Structures are given as C-alpha cells and as structure tokens.
Amino acid sequence: MLNLNDPSLLVLHSLIGGVSGQGLRTYPVINPASEQIIAEISLLEEGMEAQALASAQAAQNPWAGLSGMERGRVLRRWGDLILTNEDDLARLLTHEQGKPLAEARAEIAYAADYFHWFSGEAERMYGRSLPVGAGRRHWVEQRALGVVAAITPWNFPAAMLARKLAAALAAGNAVIAKPAIETPFSALAIAQLGARAGIPDGLVNVLLTDQPERIGEWFCSEPKIAKISFTGSTAVGRWLLARAGDGVKPCTMELGGNAPFIVFADANIPAAVNGFIACKFRNAGQTCISANRLLVHMSIAAEFLSLLRDRLNLMCFGDGMQEGIDLGPLIHATACSRLQQKITDAKDKGAIVESFGIDRRASPIGSFFAPTLVTGVTPEMRLFNEESFGPIVAVTEFATCDEAILLANQTQYGLAAYVYSKDLTTINQCQKLLQFGMLGINEARLSHAYAPFGGIKNSGFGREGGLEGITHYQSQQFIAWSE
C-alpha cells in the first residue's frame, strides 16, 4: 500500500510540455516483492513524441540563453526538493523496483547529489581565449547541443535519470526521457519536482511506452534529437549505435559490466569481505559495477570464504518495506530464471553451489533469489563470462599477480574492477594493467556525483558525473575574428 505524504508525486501518465500526456492504453506496474499491481500507467500514443519534441525545442533556446548561474539556481532548488521529499520518493522506488527502503533512501540522496553537483558545474562552463597576434581574436565557446534523449534503466531509476538530467540541463539542453516501463514512478516524480523547482514547461518531457524499439528508432532517426544518452545492456546499446550511426548522432553509452574483485594474499581479509558484501549485494546484485567475479589468492581462499559464508548465512531477504531486510527481489521472474540457467551451467561443468540467507517473506511469493556461493568457477562457465545481475558469488582462485590480472582482463567488458592488497608493487601493477574504466583499491564504492563514471570495451564510452559529465552535453565552437 502506497502511503505518500504528497500523493501528487504518484504520476500515472507521460509528461509532455508540462502537462499530462494520457493515452488510451494502460500498463500495470508490478511490485516485484508482492507481485501486486501498484497502479496502471497511461501509455504513449503514436504522435505524442512529436509533441514532446516541439515543446522541448520551444523551451531549449530560452533555457540555454540563461546564465549558468541562473540555470544552476534552478538545479539546486530541484536537488533540495528531492531531499525534502526523500521519504515519498524512496517509498515509490521500493515499491516499483524492490530494493530495501534504506537503499532506496540512499539512491534518492544520490540523485539529489547530481543536481547539486551540476548546479555548480553550470556556473563553470568556461570557454577560453587563444593567444594570437594584434588585430585578431581567437576563442572557444561551449555550446548546448539542443534536445537530447535520455534512456534510463530499471535498476537505479532515480539516480540514473538524475545523472543525465542534471548534466544535460546544466549545459543548456532540453531532455526527452524514456524510463524503463518497469519503474516509471521515480522518473515521473522527479520530473514533477523539477517543475516545482522552476524548470520551464517542455524543457523536460517523460515518455512512457511499452514499445521501446519504436521510440528508440525515433530517437536515432529524428534529426532534431541532437544526442542519445543510454544506460542499459550492451545488446541494446549496440542496437542503438547501429541506428544512430546513420545520422552521425553522438551517443553516450553506459553498458554492461563483468567486474573482477581481486583479493591478494596480503589483503586485510575482514575489510575485503566487508567491501565485497557492499559491492556484490547492493540492489541484490543488480548493478553494472557489482563484483561479478571473485578472484581470491589460493593461500587465503579458505579463510576468506569461511568469513564470507558466515555473512551470507545472516543475510535476510524479503519485502524491502520491512525492517532488517538486506536483499529485495530481482526485478521479475525472468531474471531469476536467467540466473538459475547460469548456475546450472556452472554446476554441470564441475562447480560447487551453496545457498544461504534467511527468508523473511510471509509467503513464498515475489521474484526472490537467495544469496548463492559458487566455487570452482572457470573461464569456460557462463558465470565467468556473463554479467550475473543477481546475488551470486562466482569464485575463482589464482596463484600469482600475473594470473589474477590475466583472469580479470579475460572479458569483453571494461567497466569496473576492485583490488584488495597492502603491497604497493602489486597495487601499482594492477593499476597499470587492469583494463577497466574505474578501479577501486581497497575501496568498494566507485559511483559519486563528483567523479567520472564509465567504461571501455563493450562497457561503452563517454563519462557521466564529475567535470567530464557535462562535456558530453556540449559542443565546442572555435571563433577566429580579424579586425
């Protein structure tokens, strides 16, 4: 039952030009913990996207014409409103996505961080003057791109939208957002708060659709859409890039991961276990930078796994609205089936599988998956090569630093990696040779509003967050002027 302090934050339709975009068809949004319908949303009708584009174009130029300080003030108010409404936003998020309420609150605060961070970056959109001779002036200006498309996933529906919206708007752009159909309420509520903060009508539009391919094709083919920013699977990223390439349309792609978590013989083992738990089981393992492969030095594997088993035994899973829940459900039953297929593949190839955790559900409903430890994982297994996106610990032992680096890099992905060691030579070697866009050294948290987030190889390109995040929503104009 959704008990909101401000019921108007539960929006059930697309937002186009600052007003309701109600269609004739509806779609039920399901709570993955209870399997109950939260509410039915109104879906986009064909032609509404053109209305969204027209309203975004009308709002964008006046917005870009404001000073960075003026845009920054609105973004800061927006971030403040998100924090003021943190409880309602977290409840919406837990109901639609399933994560424990404490994690949902942390995500909402993290979303606010992006508006606060980029409110400051809006004030610092510096160009530069270039040294030339008398009678001439050369300089570079930063320009907004225009209307950009933001496609966001279901695993962090508030934070991923905030990361794109705040940067794009700080740079002077308008945004047409398409949230995941499984988790629309966070995006709609955040957009609602943006209007209260002073965002002009039409500057941010939110489209609800169960036809993502049709909207994706439109984003790629419509010449008035200046850029696409996508967070999601590598397969969908490739699909979008193939179509955006026809129009030479710039894209930012934050795609899949297969993060190694490497624990060397000299590591602080309790600290490494704590870091691994935080990294692996956040959002029930449904994060792109989740530790996907646990690589442990063979001399400490028994000790590390013993401590890890103790922690896994105490993990409680159930409805995220309950107190004391560590793991919520996976997003749907299909996600559970995919995980089971990977575990079966590993078991058939010789791995050992153990299940853990305390089930706090009143009845066996919801798309839950117990914490699972799989030892003896080899590079031939799907658990080693594919992103799990669930609470599965896939363990591979190694003997040398060179072997650990070789195993870690044995993947098509390159988003994040983690290293636990006290030895500076080992750390230095890993830092130089690991092929990943982000690296945690005795540190399991990599995502911050002030830091660039992104990967290499099949994990995508471009960066979100940090100083780098705003640059992907700008173009540079060089001006040469002779008197």
Side-chain angles (χ1 to χ4, degrees), residues 270-323:
V273 171
N274 288 338
F276 181 79
I277 291 287
C279 178
K280 174 72 240 185
F281 293 99
R282 183 185 182 200
N283 197 23
Q286 299 172 115
T287 76
C288 55
I289 58 172
S290 173
N292 210 54
R293 297 170 293 154
L294 176 57
L295 308 180
V296 187
H297 193 276
M298 58 178 53
S299 68
I300 60 162
E303 181 182 358
F304 185 96
L305 294 178
S306 176
L307 290 176
L308 182 59
R309 286 185 179 95
D310 290 342
R311 295 287 296 278
L312 297 181
N313 269 323
L314 297 174
M315 279 195 158
C316 296
F317 57 94
D319 190 324
M321 293 301 295
Q322 292 180 263
E323 291 290 333

Side-chain angles (χ1 to χ4, degrees), residues 202-455:
L203 192 69
V204 174
N205 300 271
V206 182
L207 307 184
L208 304 181
T209 180
D210 62 348
Q211 300 174 325
E213 287 190 13
R214 185 179 75 80
I215 294 300
E217 287 272 14
W218 179 71
F219 282 156
C220 293
S221 62
E222 171 53 63
K224 294 173 184 175
I225 300 288
K227 173 192 170 68
I228 297 172
S229 178
F230 171 72
T231 298
S233 73
T234 297
V236 175
R238 288 195 188 104
W239 186 91
L240 288 167
L241 284 170
R243 287 152 181 79
D246 289 340
V248 198
K249 185 166 296 187
C251 298
T252 296
M253 292 280 148
E254 197 264 281
L255 308 177
N258 187 6
F261 192 102
I262 311 171
V263 185
F264 287 95
D266 65 310
N268 179 327
I269 295 178
V273 171
N274 288 338
F276 181 79
I277 291 287
C279 178
K280 174 72 240 185
F281 293 99
R282 183 185 182 200
N283 197 23
Q286 299 172 115
T287 76
C288 55
I289 58 172
S290 173
N292 210 54
R293 297 170 293 154
L294 176 57
L295 308 180
V296 187
H297 193 276
M298 58 178 53
S299 68
I300 60 162
E303 181 182 358
F304 185 96
L305 294 178
S306 176
L307 290 176
L308 182 59
R309 286 185 179 95
D310 290 342
R311 295 287 296 278
L312 297 181
N313 269 323
L314 297 174
M315 279 195 158
C316 296
F317 57 94
D319 190 324
M321 293 301 295
Q322 292 180 263
E323 291 290 333
I325 295 299
D326 301 300
L327 297 177
L330 300 190
I331 190 63
H332 43 52
T334 303
C336 296
S337 298
R338 289 172 184 158
L339 282 187
Q340 191 56 57
Q341 290 169 12
K342 293 172 185 176
I343 288 174
T344 300
D345 169 78
K347 193 172 182 178
D348 289 346
K349 292 174 181 174
I352 298 171
V353 179
E354 304 169 71
S355 290
F356 298 87
I358 301 168
D359 189 348
R360 294 294 192 197
R361 294 175 293 172
S363 58
I365 58 173
S367 49
F368 289 88
F369 206 98
T372 303
L373 179 65
V374 184
T375 52
V377 173
T378 63
E380 293 75 31
M381 298 175 185
R382 291 180 63 188
L383 281 178
F384 187 93
N385 293 296
E386 299 176 15
E387 189 172 28
S388 296
F389 237 59
I392 299 177
V393 181
V395 184
T396 302
E397 297 182 22
F398 66 87
T400 66
C401 182
D402 287 342
E403 183 186 4
I405 293 171
L406 182 66
L407 287 167
N409 287 338
Q410 196 171 326
T411 176
Q412 62 180 319
Y413 299 101
L415 187 57
Y418 306 88
V419 170
Y420 274 72
S421 173
K422 298 175 186 174
D423 183 72
L424 293 181
T425 300
T426 298
I427 291 170
N428 187 57
Q429 189 172 357
C430 289
Q431 191 270 321
K432 287 183 177 179
L433 298 179
L434 287 172
Q435 298 166 1
F436 297 86
M438 297 177 285
L439 175 62
I441 301 171
N442 300 321
E443 171 62 63
R445 188 181 175 195
L446 292 179
S447 190
H448 307 273
Y450 54 78
F453 187 103

Side-chain angles (χ1 to χ4, degrees), residues 91-138:
R91 286 175 176 274
L92 284 170
L93 179 50
T94 292
H95 276 81
E96 67 180 346
Q97 202 276 334
K99 65 184 59 177
L101 189 59
E103 285 192 25
R105 287 196 177 99
E107 180 178 341
I108 298 305
Y110 179 43
D113 284 348
Y114 279 107
F115 287 101
H116 290 152
W117 170 261
F118 282 111
S119 71
E121 289 303 293
E123 301 174 6
R124 293 184 286 275
M125 282 180 52
Y126 302 126
R128 70 183 191 276
S129 296
L130 306 176
V132 290
R136 294 184 299 159
R137 293 179 59 204
H138 286 183

Side-chain angles (χ1 to χ4, degrees), residues 77-91:
R77 282 198 299 271
W78 198 346
D80 291 343
L81 282 172
I82 288 172
L83 292 179
T84 299
N85 292 274
E86 179 183 292
D87 187 64
D88 280 350
L89 294 173
R91 286 175 176 274

Side-chain angles (χ1 to χ4, degrees), residues 191-204:
Q192 186 92 316
L193 292 175
R196 297 179 191 179
I199 290 292
D201 289 347
L203 192 69
V204 174

